[in-house]
Amino acid sequence: MERTYRLRLSLDAKYVTIVSDATALLRLGFPDSRVGRVSADGGATIVLRVYHSHLACLFPQHGPGKKHHRSIALEGWQQERVRAAPWAFLRGCIRSDGCVFVNRTGRYSYLSYDFKNRSKDILDLFEETCQAVG
């Protein structure tokens, strides 16, 4: 019997567009699976979940322990996807481990992005992709 894996995404409920985009992507990626949605933290968090036997194929970097204590390297097919859609990869990184904010300095204000992760491998992937798009 095949093992079924579960993917859960915990999202801030106040970012409706991110929750909607994530739901749509899960439905697109797993058209035969139900995308579940529950509220947590008194409604402040939306948890999306999907069950599928091929999640381990899509996320081969998954493993025991903290991600910053183990190697994170993209498979060849994942590298091709990032090269084909670098901005989508960067948006996903920022939405998962970063933020977007308005930086105000004197009379100027401009949109700024921040990304933090404890995994050197993930930071390297983020930096390489930023350099690739200039």
Side-chain angles (χ1 to χ4, degrees):
M1 185 164 155
E2 230 174 285
R3 179 175 179 177
T4 300
Y5 297 91
R6 176 181 64 182
L7 173 67
R8 289 188 312 171
L9 302 176
S10 295
L11 305 167
D12 191 325
K14 69 181 169 186
Y15 298 106
V16 178
T17 301
I18 292 175
V19 173
S20 177
D21 288 352
T23 303
L25 285 170
L26 288 174
R27 287 185 177 139
L28 181 66
F30 304 97
D32 297 330
S33 299
R34 181 178 166 270
V35 176
R37 175 185 172 132
V38 296
S39 294
D41 303 322
T45 302
I46 300 294
V47 180
L48 302 177
R49 69 180 179 281
V50 67
Y51 292 87
H52 202 279
S53 58
H54 290 291
L55 279 167
C57 301
L58 294 173
F59 300 103
Q61 300 80 7
H62 174 70
K66 298 178 178 179
K67 62 186 174 196
H68 62 277
H69 288 164
R70 57 185 153 82
S71 176
I72 302 290
L74 297 181
E75 299 286 329
W77 68 268
Q78 292 171 315
Q79 291 172 357
E80 290 174 25
R81 293 287 197 156
V82 171
R83 276 194 294 274
W87 290 106
F89 175 77
L90 293 174
R91 181 180 60 231
C93 288
I94 291 168
R95 285 183 170 182
S96 65
D97 290 318
C99 68
V100 181
F101 59 96
V102 176
N103 193 346
R104 292 178 172 80
T105 55
R107 62 185 179 144
Y108 301 101
S109 64
Y110 50 94
L111 204 53
S112 296
Y113 299 85
D114 189 29
F115 177 73
K116 293 188 186 312
N117 198 293
R118 294 179 66 187
S119 167
K120 182 180 179 332
D121 293 342
I122 291 173
L123 290 171
D124 288 346
L125 290 167
F126 183 82
E127 183 179 352
E128 289 167 13
T129 306
C130 285
Q131 289 175 352
V133 298

